Amino acid sequence: MRYTRNDFKNQDTQSKKGFYVAACAVLACAAVLGTAYFQTQKTENMKNSNVAERPAATAAGKTSISKNWQSDAGEDGKKDSEQASTTMNADRVNKQKDKADKKKIEVKANKKKENKEKNISKATAMSAGKKTFSEEKGLTWPVKGDILMKFSQSNNVYFKTLAQYKSNPAIEISADKGTKVIASAAGRVVEINKDDITGTMVTTDIGSNYKITYGQLTDLKVKKGDEVKEGQLLGVVAEPTKYFSEEGSNLFFQVKENGKAVDPLLLLN
């Protein structure tokens, strides 16, 4: 076969075209591979970045949650503390109130008791005030015996033990030691006392401004404030005091009207 110059030229041209096509194909492949490589690297980098950031985010989240829990716990603790404090204060107030109420009850009870005692005393006083003594009826003899010493407002009564004449604001009725002494009239015991001269004495208010005093007594059967009936046992005759040692045992019997001594013999029946 015979080749012409144009044939070589054409072959050369075709060869160049083939070379360019192959080169373009190679470049295209390289571009694709490069793109794929860079895409793969980017993906890996993103994965690595996510993996690295996730624990930090998780740690931050845990810290945030922990703070929230602490905050919540603090609020709850504060609320619990406030509630406990309120409860304690309420209990304290209730205890103080109970104590105050108890004290009020005690004060009220004491006041009631005092009022009751006052009412009793008042009733007793009124009762005594209402009692009347009749001079016409007179007095019952407290003991049976002779008049040892008479009543006198002048110095004409002889006291044997004292060996002198004196006035006598009462009468002494001779009676053996242990002789029973009865109330000469109904009344109330207003005083019980002891004197060196007349010994233990019981005074009764018989009403109408009259009072009777019984002296030289022992083994008393009444106490102050008692209401006594006429003829009721008051006590017994005691051993005479040293001021009546020569006269012997006796009953000191005195009657007063409006605080002034009067002769009991004028009233005794």
Side-chain angles (χ1 to χ4, degrees), residues 140-142 181-187 204 214 228-234:
T140 300
W141 283 77
V181 179
I182 62 173
S184 294
T204 61
Y214 309 80
V228 296
K229 298 179 181 179
E230 182 179 348
Q232 183 176 331
L233 180 64
L234 301 177

Side-chain angles (χ1 to χ4, degrees), residues 33-57:
L33 291 175
T35 301
Y37 175 76
F38 286 115
Q39 187 68 31
T40 301
Q41 290 295 323
K42 185 176 181 181
T43 302
E44 291 294 331
N45 291 334
M46 289 180 66
K47 287 182 179 180
N48 292 334
S49 176
N50 290 335
V51 170
E53 290 178 357
R54 189 175 301 140

Side-chain angles (χ1 to χ4, degrees), residues 41-111:
Q41 290 295 323
K42 185 176 181 181
T43 302
E44 291 294 331
N45 291 334
M46 289 180 66
K47 287 182 179 180
N48 292 334
S49 176
N50 290 335
V51 170
E53 290 178 357
R54 189 175 301 140
T58 303
K62 288 183 178 180
T63 302
S64 176
I65 292 173
S66 178
K67 288 182 179 179
N68 290 333
W69 285 351
Q70 290 177 358
S71 177
D72 292 341
E75 290 296 326
D76 292 339
K78 184 177 180 181
K79 290 179 181 179
D80 292 340
S81 178
E82 291 176 351
Q83 185 175 1
S85 178
T86 302
T87 303
M88 289 177 66
N89 290 333
D91 292 340
R92 189 180 299 109
V93 171
N94 290 333
K95 287 181 179 179
Q96 292 176 350
K97 185 178 179 182
D98 292 341
K99 188 175 181 180
D101 291 341
K102 186 176 180 180
K103 188 173 182 180
K104 287 181 180 179
I105 293 173
E106 290 178 354
V107 171
K108 188 176 181 180
N110 291 333
K111 189 174 182 180

